[in-house]
Amino acid sequence: MNNEPNDFLPSEILRLLSKKGKSAFFPKMGILAQAAKAKGKRYNATIGTAKDDDGSVMSLKSIAELIDVDPEVVFPYAPGFGRPELRELWQKMLVEKNPNLAGVKISKPVVTGALTHGLSLLGLLFFNEGEELICPDLYWGNYRLVFEHWHGVEIKTYQTFKDSGFNVAGLREELLTSGDKKVVILNFPNNPTGYTPLNEEVLEIVAAFEEALAAGKQIVVFIDDAYFGLVYEEGVIQESLFVRLGNLNKNLLAVKVDGPTKEDYVWGFRVGFLTYAYKGMSDEAAEALEEKTAGALRGNASNISNLSQSLLYKAYSSPNYEAEKQEKFETLKERYKEVKKTLTDHPEYTEMFTALPFNSGYFMCVKLRDDVDPAKVYQLLLDEYDTGVILCDDLLRIAFSSAPLKDIPHLYENIYKATQDVLQDK
Ligand SMILES: Cc1ncc(COP(=O)(O)O)c(C=O)c1O
């Protein structure tokens, strides 16, 4: 492929890209590319890394002896697209985790500096200043910094829940508003609500997209799968929405934003992936989208921690990986069940707060009764009850992921009592 990845993208996809997205490319004769050409040459004075006189990578012993991985592998730069073996493996793992992806053409995941960075790259590639992102009104607060602040995007919200389920009608309505290009973000299991749609709700979500496509809309959907796999109830979708949306229509580009941050409990490793799919995507178009992503990435992070990528690749190849992961899943599921039990055991709590629907992920939210100020309860919890939760507008978000099982009943008791205190003080 030359420096014109646009030549390989159909007009349906090209018009979804921002101005920057349209011009993004990975320099074919850039330093990384020229260094790759010179790999294995007797005399190689290309890239800005340093070698010892014996040709081994230069490293400080005090750093090298800390890590049980080959310095020759992890000390140099990682390729701009990410380590090839990790990209290959993550792609394979995506299909294992989402069996219905088998047979769907997906791009090779490009490695990003975790999900936040992936989202920000999407901001660059798909938004011109002032364009809208359709999003439920309960969303991860950092979307504001990523999209609104850094990319000048307007976050257009619809009410998240309707009749104790996901508000598909709200999504549908936003999709059908005037304007051809629609950019949507969906995040399940959700932060902050801990909600993932039920199987039947997914059918409705897909139908809403189909209706919008039939009405002539051109759509990009960012599928933020940060908490993928942490589903605790029957009847809730187990696979990513990427499976359903990635093979729906040539006018709907689905982008899976995911990574090991939460899935594999490595929050500080800063590795994530961006993977593309749309119906009828050719190999060349997939490569063009990968190239644009890597080009955008080369212009900010340059490339992503080789050490983190190498450690993950090694871990994924470990025979113990699956069992260890299952064990942590069970720990989180037990906590989830304890939250449900606590709420069932204490019907009186509903006098002070109600739980929003939740069935998955790291979190759940409670809505306090209308006549108390959530900010006061939040402060009282900190000051008098030794209890920290997150205040999200008029909700309290409780991360049961980070609370030991035995503390869970006390957490809710404290919220109940603090709300009572605030009410009595009024
Ligand atoms: C919904 C959601 N998306 C993305 C992220 C960002 O993840 P990362 O730490 O990999 O950047 C988070 C982190 O809290 C999140 O909750």
Side-chain angles (χ1 to χ4, degrees), residues 196-374:
T196 298
L198 312 179
N199 292 323
E200 56 268 25
E201 286 175 321
V202 171
L203 299 180
E204 292 171 25
I205 291 173
V206 173
F209 279 107
E210 279 172 335
E211 193 180 337
L213 288 161
K217 306 295 179 190
Q218 294 132 24
I219 307 174
V220 191
V221 192
F222 304 157
I223 299 162
D224 179 342
D225 277 346
Y227 301 89
F228 180 82
L230 297 171
V231 167
Y232 311 123
E233 297 279 1
E234 295 291 312
V236 177
I237 47 151
Q238 301 284 336
E239 294 194 334
S240 169
L241 276 175
F242 188 58
V243 174
R244 303 302 309 272
L245 299 178
N247 199 25
L248 198 63
N249 192 289
K250 65 179 173 33
N251 283 303
L252 188 153
L253 175 64
V255 196
K256 191 175 194 304
V257 188
D258 63 9
T261 308
K262 324 268 179 182
E263 286 192 46
D264 296 315
Y265 311 98
V266 288
W267 306 273
F269 274 32
R270 311 315 297 149
V271 169
F273 300 90
L274 286 180
T275 311
Y276 298 92
Y278 63 86
K279 196 175 179 69
M281 182 171 71
S282 65
D283 287 344
E284 291 79 12
E287 276 173 37
L289 289 167
E290 291 162 31
E291 186 183 329
K292 283 183 176 289
T293 310
L297 190 147
R298 177 71 172 141
N300 56 36
S302 187
N303 55 81
I304 306 304
S305 165
N306 207 346
L307 177 59
S308 292
Q309 293 187 57
S310 302
L311 290 175
L312 287 164
Y313 181 73
K314 220 172 157 185
Y316 294 148
S317 312
S318 158
N320 304 326
Y321 167 71
E322 288 297 343
E324 289 167 7
K325 195 165 165 168
Q326 186 62 26
E327 195 188 314
K328 299 302 173 202
F329 172 82
E330 296 300 337
T331 301
L332 293 184
K333 186 171 177 181
E334 282 308 304
R335 296 202 193 138
Y336 163 81
K337 284 183 2 204
E338 189 64 15
V339 176
K340 287 272 170 183
K341 180 172 180 308
T342 304
L343 297 175
T344 313
D345 288 352
H346 293 278
E348 74 280 12
Y349 287 178
T350 56
E351 291 160 22
M352 296 298 134
F353 60 81
T354 46
L356 267 51
F358 68 109
N359 52 27
S360 55
Y362 274 29
F363 314 104
M364 60 84 69
C365 288
V366 298
K367 171 149 181 24
L368 304 182
R369 49 186 289 162
D370 286 336
D371 51 356
V372 294
D373 178 356

Side-chain angles (χ1 to χ4, degrees), residues 6 17 54 57 107 109 114 118 123 154 157 170 172 203 256 283 288 306 311 380 383 392 398 403 425:
N6 289 356
L17 292 164
D54 66 359
V57 68
S107 69
E154 192 191 321
T157 60
R172 176 184 168 278
L203 299 180
K256 191 175 194 304
D283 287 344
N306 207 346
L311 290 175
L380 197 67
D383 295 344
C392 297
I398 294 111
D425 251 1

Side-chain angles (χ1 to χ4, degrees), residues 4-60:
E4 294 296 339
N6 289 356
D7 295 348
F8 297 87
L9 289 171
S11 58
E12 289 88 346
I13 299 300
L14 259 183
R15 65 187 164 204
L16 293 171
L17 292 164
S18 64
K19 281 191 206 96
K20 284 192 184 121
K22 285 196 180 84
S23 65
F25 69 99
F26 191 82
K28 284 287 153 36
M29 277 305 277
I31 291 168
L32 290 184
Q34 293 193 49
K37 285 181 204 283
K39 211 166 176 210
K41 299 291 175 210
R42 167 75 178 82
Y43 303 102
N44 182 352
T46 53
I47 201 160
T49 55
K51 302 254 174 147
D52 275 315
D53 284 340
D54 66 359
S56 63
V57 68
M58 207 175 262
S59 64
L60 302 184

